[in-house]
Amino acid sequence: MMQNKGKIYVKKSIILLFWLGVWQILAMCVDNFLLVVTPLQALRALLTLAGQVEFWRSAFDSLWRIAFGFLLGAVLALLLAAISYRYPLAEEVLRPFMVFCKAVPVAVFAVLLLIWWGSSMLAVAICFLVVFPNIYLNTLEGLKSADRGLLEMAEVFRLPLGTQFFYIYRPALKPFLLSAFQLSLGMCWKSGVAAEVIGTPSHSIGGALYLAKIYLDTADLFAWTAGIVVLSVFFEKIIFYGIEVFFRWEPACKDPSMPQKIAGREQRTLCVRNLGKSFHNQWIFRHVDHEFHSGEPYVLDNPSGSGKTTFFRCLCGLERPEEGEVSEMDAFAMQFQEDRLCEDCSAVKNLEMILGDVSQARTALTQLLPEEALDQPCHELSGGMKRRVSLVRAMEAEAQCVLLDEPFTGLDEPVITFLEEDGEILRFLDHVYALVDASVKRYMERGFSNLSVCFGCTGGQHRSVYSAQHLAEHLNKKFGVKVELVHREQNIERTFEATI
């Protein structure tokens, strides 16, 4: 680690020396100190200025003006972006102002504000106008890019708003905010100092640059420019350190889905009355009437594509039916066809979001996951492990009604038993074997070495997994060829080595 850091510092030092050398060569070629001074002359001027009180006062005053304008623009942009995301009308109202801020040159704003307000707060206003639209638009796009599946999960489980922000919206915002802040910080210093040059307020870097230009003091001009670079880098380091801490922080989820826990103790009946749902004038289901009593299990044993998932979504409020109603239950938990986990968080943290208790979450998961997997980010877990986490999340929520939408994978024993007892999958595989066997024979006769066979079904968790597994075993046993099996939705890979 220390050696790597040492190499990085050496690399950066070499790059710095390279550009200083370019500067020195340029100054020697021009050979006119009124146009370009050497690095040594600029350093000498900077040290002279650093010994003066006015230098530090000007640097500090410019720093606070630019920093205040930046922070004011950033805070207001973040706030209004959140409001615009929540209320689309606010976005429509603010859109003309955003277009105006992006289109009008900074110099026009500077002249107008100089006429209206004078020079003292000009840099603050210009920095605000440069930063505000950039951060606002990026933040709004980041909020809109939040994972829709996770937002639906949060709606069903009634996650507190704070939990939703930190673990669903914050990861979506990260790339947008980092880009916006990176761009805004650079533009902020450029426009802020330019505004000071135009307005020339007292005790400012811009004012000092203007005087250096008047007196043709190129050395001081380069010295002040070096000071701007140092202050800009210093300010950027502080801002990005705060951003890094913010995105790294994982606050405890101390607020469980309390309405669900309270309702979970009540015995209720889920009443479905004349329920119907259609898409594009095609009825998925209609005239569904049933009562589901608390404490009793129910199984929807319908063919694939018959609307089971849509029915579940209507029950828990994710879809609005065209007709009918669902009553008497208002607290649901659901295991979706997809896992819908916060991938950057651990399995424990995903369950803690629901339970509000990290020790309870850890205890529940210990029964189904190995100890070393509990604190790993979910994107590092296997497909089967993720499925278990999502199942535990649904079962531990203590809701009035738990909906399990294809809860097991095609490699789980209960699903294999169901598929084989049903018999349909076996007839399907007989046809698959005949078609693929013929292709494999032709490929082997012609000397071809690669043949791809793909299976797909809703969710990629049931029949496709079972079919792919059995076809791989069949081909390897019958032809002795090497077969590479990939369950893409579960991130599982297996190789059957050739036997010929």
Side-chain angles (χ1 to χ4, degrees), residues 116-311:
W116 295 342
W117 294 346
S119 62
S120 59
M121 298 296 288
L122 179 62
V124 175
I126 292 298
C127 289
F128 171 83
L129 291 171
V130 168
V131 169
F132 176 72
N134 187 30
I135 294 182
Y136 168 85
L137 293 172
N138 276 274
T139 302
L140 186 57
E141 286 302 311
L143 291 171
K144 290 179 179 180
S145 72
D147 190 314
R148 187 63 197 166
L150 290 180
L151 292 176
E152 289 184 346
M153 179 276 294
E155 182 180 347
V156 171
F157 285 92
R158 300 188 180 184
L159 294 187
L161 183 59
T163 301
Q164 291 186 46
F165 172 74
F166 280 107
Y167 298 106
I168 299 178
Y169 287 108
R170 185 176 63 170
L173 280 171
K174 186 174 182 178
F176 291 89
L177 285 185
L178 290 178
S179 175
F181 274 74
Q182 186 77 49
L183 180 61
S184 297
L185 282 166
M187 294 175 60
C188 185
W189 275 93
K190 290 179 181 179
S191 59
V193 173
E196 289 184 343
V197 172
I198 294 173
T200 61
S202 57
H203 312 301
S204 67
I205 293 177
L209 290 174
Y210 182 77
L211 290 177
K213 185 207 74 165
I214 292 295
Y215 295 112
L216 297 178
D217 194 345
T218 309
D220 276 11
L221 185 65
F222 275 74
W224 279 109
T225 302
I228 294 171
V229 172
V230 172
L231 288 174
S232 174
V233 171
F234 171 72
F235 184 62
E236 182 176 317
K237 291 290 184 183
I238 293 176
I239 294 297
F240 272 94
Y241 175 76
I243 293 174
E244 182 183 348
V245 170
F246 169 72
F247 281 112
R248 201 170 54 230
W249 178 41
E250 287 193 2
C253 302
K254 296 183 178 180
D255 297 324
S257 304
M258 191 58 67
Q260 289 182 325
K261 286 189 172 292
I262 294 174
R265 301 188 183 96
E266 302 176 7
Q267 297 294 317
R268 291 190 178 185
T269 299
L270 174 62
C271 301
V272 178
R273 300 288 183 239
N274 195 36
L275 199 66
K277 177 65 181 177
S278 66
F279 286 108
H280 306 297
N281 298 320
Q282 179 71 36
W283 287 100
I284 307 301
F285 55 81
R286 200 176 186 188
H287 304 311
V288 178
D289 284 280
H290 201 83
E291 290 187 356
F292 299 93
H293 301 286
S294 179
E296 297 183 15
Y298 296 86
V299 178
L300 298 183
D301 187 13
N302 296 71
S304 179
S306 61
K308 299 187 295 297
T309 297
T310 304
F311 180 68

Side-chain angles (χ1 to χ4, degrees), residues 195-460:
E196 289 184 343
V197 172
I198 294 173
T200 61
S202 57
H203 312 301
S204 67
I205 293 177
L209 290 174
Y210 182 77
L211 290 177
K213 185 207 74 165
I214 292 295
Y215 295 112
L216 297 178
D217 194 345
T218 309
D220 276 11
L221 185 65
F222 275 74
W224 279 109
T225 302
I228 294 171
V229 172
V230 172
L231 288 174
S232 174
V233 171
F234 171 72
F235 184 62
E236 182 176 317
K237 291 290 184 183
I238 293 176
I239 294 297
F240 272 94
Y241 175 76
I243 293 174
E244 182 183 348
V245 170
F246 169 72
F247 281 112
R248 201 170 54 230
W249 178 41
E250 287 193 2
C253 302
K254 296 183 178 180
D255 297 324
S257 304
M258 191 58 67
Q260 289 182 325
K261 286 189 172 292
I262 294 174
R265 301 188 183 96
E266 302 176 7
Q267 297 294 317
R268 291 190 178 185
T269 299
L270 174 62
C271 301
V272 178
R273 300 288 183 239
N274 195 36
L275 199 66
K277 177 65 181 177
S278 66
F279 286 108
H280 306 297
N281 298 320
Q282 179 71 36
W283 287 100
I284 307 301
F285 55 81
R286 200 176 186 188
H287 304 311
V288 178
D289 284 280
H290 201 83
E291 290 187 356
F292 299 93
H293 301 286
S294 179
E296 297 183 15
Y298 296 86
V299 178
L300 298 183
D301 187 13
N302 296 71
S304 179
S306 61
K308 299 187 295 297
T309 297
T310 304
F311 180 68
F312 280 173
R313 291 174 64 85
C314 289
L315 292 183
C316 62
L318 295 179
E319 295 281 355
R320 179 173 293 181
E322 271 64 44
E323 60 184 26
E325 62 178 3
V326 179
S327 61
E328 296 302 324
M329 280 197 184
D330 55 2
F332 290 88
M334 184 172 180
Q335 184 182 31
F336 301 86
Q337 286 188 3
E338 312 84 14
D339 299 318
R340 301 202 185 187
L341 301 173
C342 296
E343 294 287 332
D344 292 331
C345 299
S346 67
V348 172
K349 177 59 72 174
N350 272 275
L351 192 53
E352 181 192 347
M353 297 177 197
I354 305 301
L355 302 180
D357 187 328
V358 64
S359 60
Q360 185 180 349
R362 185 175 293 276
T363 300
L365 287 169
T366 302
Q367 304 175 41
L368 292 175
L369 293 181
E371 183 68 28
E372 63 272 13
L374 296 179
D375 296 308
Q376 286 181 254
C378 282
H379 64 77
E380 297 180 4
L381 300 180
S382 68
M385 288 181 178
K386 291 181 184 180
R387 202 62 183 156
R388 290 174 222 159
V389 175
S390 64
L391 180 59
V392 172
R393 179 179 63 187
M395 301 306 296
E396 290 289 326
E398 297 186 21
Q400 294 173 329
C401 180
V402 180
L403 306 174
L404 303 179
D405 192 359
E406 298 190 10
F408 306 109
T409 71
L411 294 178
D412 289 334
E413 203 59 40
V415 175
I416 293 174
T417 302
F418 169 78
L419 291 174
E420 293 179 346
E421 288 180 352
D422 178 72
E424 181 183 354
I425 193 68
L426 301 179
R427 293 190 294 273
F428 168 75
L429 280 177
D430 287 339
H431 294 290
V432 170
Y433 292 159
L435 289 171
V436 177
D437 286 356
S439 297
V440 172
K441 288 178 182 177
R442 285 197 300 271
Y443 269 54
M444 294 178 70
E445 290 171 357
R446 301 178 65 180
F448 296 160
S449 58
N450 291 288
L451 173 65
S452 176
V453 181
C454 301
F455 294 89
C457 67
T458 304

